[in-house]
Amino acid sequence: GIETGRKEVNRAYTPPLDAFNARCKSIVDKGKKFYEKLRDVEREADDYYKSEKKNELREHYEAFAGMLLDVVPYEKIHDDRWLLKGTNIQTAKAEIEDIVQKIAGDREAIKEMHLEFENDALTVFYQTLDFGEAIKYARKLEEDKRKVEEMEAELARQSAQTVPEGDMYTGG
């Protein structure tokens, strides 16, 4: 009856349906592989573009920064935003010039302060590019030096006080 008819229809239509599904899966898999290859090529091209753009920006920095290069390498000022396709290279170069000028201005400001620990402040400044942090560090060194000098002066006063003759330990 019905069960036999169902089985016959199943036998007749299942193999072509399975073949059709297998063919569809094969086509989809080929499309996925092609898409992945395309994505990899696009990623490679994007990496190359970013690398070339970064090299151009580094060269611009090196030409513009002068002696600053010795203490502030390009990586310290680099901004990944500059490598985006939407960022114009001239805009990025202008930002680099602004950064270099700000660093030079902050350096001059530190020099004009005549800090006791000026070289230490400049070292921190070149490491962090943070003017406030550099000044705070120099002020802390000054405070620490003052505390050490006060302690040494107090110790000298204490040791200068004469010990009465009868109270002195003679080692015997």
Side-chain angles (χ1 to χ4, degrees):
I2 294 178
E3 189 58 28
T4 306
R6 187 190 65 77
K7 287 181 179 177
E8 286 177 18
V9 169
N10 232 356
R11 261 188 304 247
Y13 289 100
T14 299
L17 182 60
D18 288 347
F20 175 75
N21 283 336
R23 178 101 175 98
C24 287
K25 185 180 178 329
S26 170
I27 292 169
V28 168
D29 287 347
K30 285 179 184 175
K32 283 182 182 176
K33 285 181 184 171
F34 177 75
Y35 171 75
E36 287 169 8
K37 281 184 180 179
L38 191 60
R39 197 179 60 212
D40 289 346
V41 167
E42 185 180 33
R43 201 175 288 131
E44 260 183 58
D46 194 44
D47 289 347
Y48 177 78
Y49 168 80
K50 285 180 177 179
S51 173
E52 288 298 302
K53 195 171 187 182
K54 187 173 185 177
N55 286 339
E56 185 175 342
L57 293 173
R58 179 191 317 276
E59 287 172 11
H60 181 72
Y61 173 73
E62 290 172 357
F64 193 79
M67 289 188 296
L68 187 60
L69 272 175
D70 293 337
V71 288
V72 183
Y74 173 76
E75 280 66 28
K76 188 162 292 287
I77 64 136
H78 174 77
D79 187 337
D80 280 339
R81 190 176 43 82
W82 296 336
L83 302 182
L84 299 175
K85 288 180 182 171
T87 303
N88 179 299
I89 191 125
Q90 297 311 320
T91 302
K93 287 180 178 181
E95 285 183 30
I96 288 171
E97 292 171 13
D98 290 345
I99 289 169
V100 169
Q101 289 168 347
K102 182 180 180 332
I103 291 170
D106 286 352
R107 178 195 170 277
E108 280 308 306
I110 290 171
K111 299 288 274 178
E112 289 170 6
M113 293 177 82
H114 304 289
L115 299 166
E116 183 178 359
F117 292 95
E118 180 179 284
N119 286 337
D120 299 284
L122 287 170
T123 299
V124 168
F125 174 67
Y126 291 135
Q127 289 170 348
T128 64
L129 298 183
D130 185 330
F131 178 82
E133 191 66 31
I135 300 308
K136 191 166 83 176
Y137 182 75
R139 297 282 190 235
K140 170 102 174 74
L141 290 178
E142 289 172 6
E143 178 66 17
D144 290 351
K145 180 182 177 193
R146 186 187 60 73
K147 286 178 184 175
V148 167
E149 287 172 349
E150 287 174 5
M151 182 186 74
E152 291 297 325
E154 180 60 29
L155 288 172
R157 275 194 296 279
Q158 287 177 8
S159 68
Q161 291 176 347
T162 55
V163 178
E165 193 67 34
D167 289 347
M168 188 173 286
Y169 176 71
T170 58

